[in-house]
Amino acid sequence: MPTTPSSQNPSRAEDASDAGGPLLGRKAARVDRLAELMGERDESGHGSGIWRTAFARMRRSPMAITGAVIVVVFVAVALLSPLIAPYSPTSQAWGDEVFPNQNIFVGPRGENWLGLDNLGRDQFSRMVVGARQTLMVGVVATLVGFGAGALLGGAAGAASVLGGRWGRQLDNVVMRVIDMMLALPTLLLAVTVAALVGPSLTTVMIAVGVAQVPIFARLLRGAMISQGNRDYVLAARALGVRKRRIALTHILPNSLGPVIVQSTLTLATAIIDAAALSYLGLGNPDPAFPEWGTMLADAQRFLSSAPQLAVYPALAIIVTALGFTLLGEAMREALDPKLRK
């Protein structure tokens, strides 16, 4: 049976029928839609977004499940610490049972699950309350680093892709500043900031957040430059779409995936760096708000007689950082196109 040209190529016929309409507006809308569709299609023909596909892969990953369980437990303990802690973290009700000068300490028992510290305070209650402080420091520091880094990296990436010669010069200036920050070790940069501001919980948040800024900035800038060479960006520029709209509605949203994954990994680093600053005496000195790094520093004098005082906070820091690391690595692998099957 002979076929007509329109039946052989329906898309060509459709384009021909659209030729008399507002073609530019329809093409611009198609470019917008192309930028949003970053996923694959499943067997039923329905769209499968990149995050939905990644979540499905993570549900089958033992590493992701282990990390998620650790993170959920840690967050739950931190948020519910006032309900979980049986005693006040500053209560010294059992002070007459502990004699640090004579190396007499109280270990785990029925009313004190993790024993008592050198001042007769319940160690379990201090660990639980310390989880909230650790979570708050990690989250706020990550948000500080993410916000400032995304601002610098996004501006540099957009300028490099869409700004022409002046944009490349701006990108070069911003990246040189970022390189100077990267030249310093993360912990050393955090210690420098904390030493200048003074010891406090806010100091730890700011110091750790500032140390993470160059990581987020360089990562987002690289992702935006990579996205800037995609077909949908070239099509949008050919259609005359404004550069600001291309950067904010197309390039930036499609570049945030690696940055979000990095934020999960940065939480683990922030927890370790915050504990290190507290261990060095730059954290919150208020005993009413215990922090695992401060508890670890206080316990170093009694390592030979009561090593459990240092073991508990050290294990908490290690396990929590491990949970965020496993979850972040699982997210990275799930979002990596090279590892998809």
Side-chain angles (χ1 to χ4, degrees):
M1 178 179 178
T3 58
T4 63
S6 60
S7 62
Q8 292 176 353
N9 195 344
S11 62
R12 183 177 301 175
E14 180 183 353
D15 293 340
S17 63
D18 291 342
L23 183 60
L24 183 60
R26 283 194 295 271
K27 286 188 176 181
R30 291 175 183 175
V31 171
D32 293 347
R33 184 59 178 163
L34 178 62
E36 296 174 358
L37 296 176
M38 294 296 290
E40 303 172 351
R41 291 188 176 271
D42 54 23
E43 297 178 356
S44 62
H46 298 289
S48 177
I50 183 173
W51 289 103
R52 184 182 302 176
T53 304
F55 180 71
R57 295 188 61 191
M58 291 177 62
R59 290 175 59 184
R60 300 189 298 267
S61 172
M63 181 171 61
I65 295 174
T66 303
V69 170
I70 295 175
V71 170
V72 169
V73 172
F74 168 67
V75 173
V77 171
L79 296 179
L80 301 177
S81 58
L83 302 177
I84 298 176
Y87 309 105
S88 170
T90 59
S91 175
Q92 302 182 17
W94 301 275
D96 55 351
E97 302 181 30
V98 179
F99 300 94
N101 296 333
Q102 303 177 17
N103 293 332
I104 299 177
F105 294 88
V106 177
R109 59 184 183 182
E111 55 183 334
N112 307 111
W113 294 354
L114 298 181
L116 305 175
D117 67 356
N118 59 302
L119 298 178
R121 298 172 295 192
D122 183 61
Q123 187 76 349
F124 176 77
S125 299
R126 293 181 59 79
M127 288 290 300
V128 170
V129 176
R132 166 171 287 195
Q133 303 301 314
T134 301
L135 176 64
M136 183 169 61
V137 170
V139 171
V140 174
T142 302
L143 290 177
V144 170
F146 180 87
L151 181 62
L152 293 175
S160 177
V161 173
L162 304 173
R165 182 169 63 90
W166 293 105
R168 288 190 292 270
Q169 291 181 358
L170 175 62
D171 171 59
N172 187 49
V173 172
V174 174
M175 284 300 102
R176 297 296 75 78
V177 175
I178 296 300
D179 290 341
M180 292 174 60
M181 298 178 67
L182 284 174
L184 295 175
T186 303
L187 185 58
L188 179 59
L189 180 60
V191 169
T192 302
V193 175
L196 293 175
V197 178
S200 67
L201 189 63
T202 304
T203 297
V204 175
M205 297 178 186
I206 297 176
V208 177
V210 170
Q212 305 298 334
V213 167
I215 299 175
F216 285 109
R218 181 162 286 277
L219 183 61
L220 182 58
R221 180 248 186 188
M224 292 187 68
I225 291 178
S226 176
Q227 290 291 328
N229 298 323
R230 298 294 181 90
D231 292 340
Y232 68 87
V233 176
L234 299 178
R237 298 185 65 178
L239 289 173
V241 181
R242 292 185 177 182
K243 295 180 179 180
R244 180 183 301 176
R245 181 181 178 186
I246 296 175
L248 295 179
T249 63
H250 297 334
I251 299 179
L252 181 60
N254 291 325
S255 304
L256 288 178
V259 183
I260 294 175
V261 174
Q262 180 62 38
S263 64
T264 307
L265 297 172
T266 302
L267 268 171
T269 305
I271 290 174
I272 296 176
D273 289 345
L277 292 178
S278 299
Y279 181 83
L280 295 175
L282 298 174
N284 187 9
D286 189 354
F289 301 97
E291 202 273 329
W292 290 343
T294 305
M295 296 173 62
L296 190 60
D298 295 338
Q300 66 177 344
R301 297 175 296 169
F302 313 105
L303 288 178
S304 59
S305 54
Q308 71 275 6
L309 298 181
V311 170
Y312 296 144
L315 284 178
I317 295 171
I318 293 172
V319 173
T320 303
L322 177 63
F324 282 107
T325 302
L326 292 177
L327 185 60
E329 287 293 332
M331 291 177 60
R332 183 188 62 80
E333 293 182 1
L335 291 170
D336 192 346
K338 299 179 182 179
L339 299 177
R340 295 182 195 170
K341 297 180 181 179

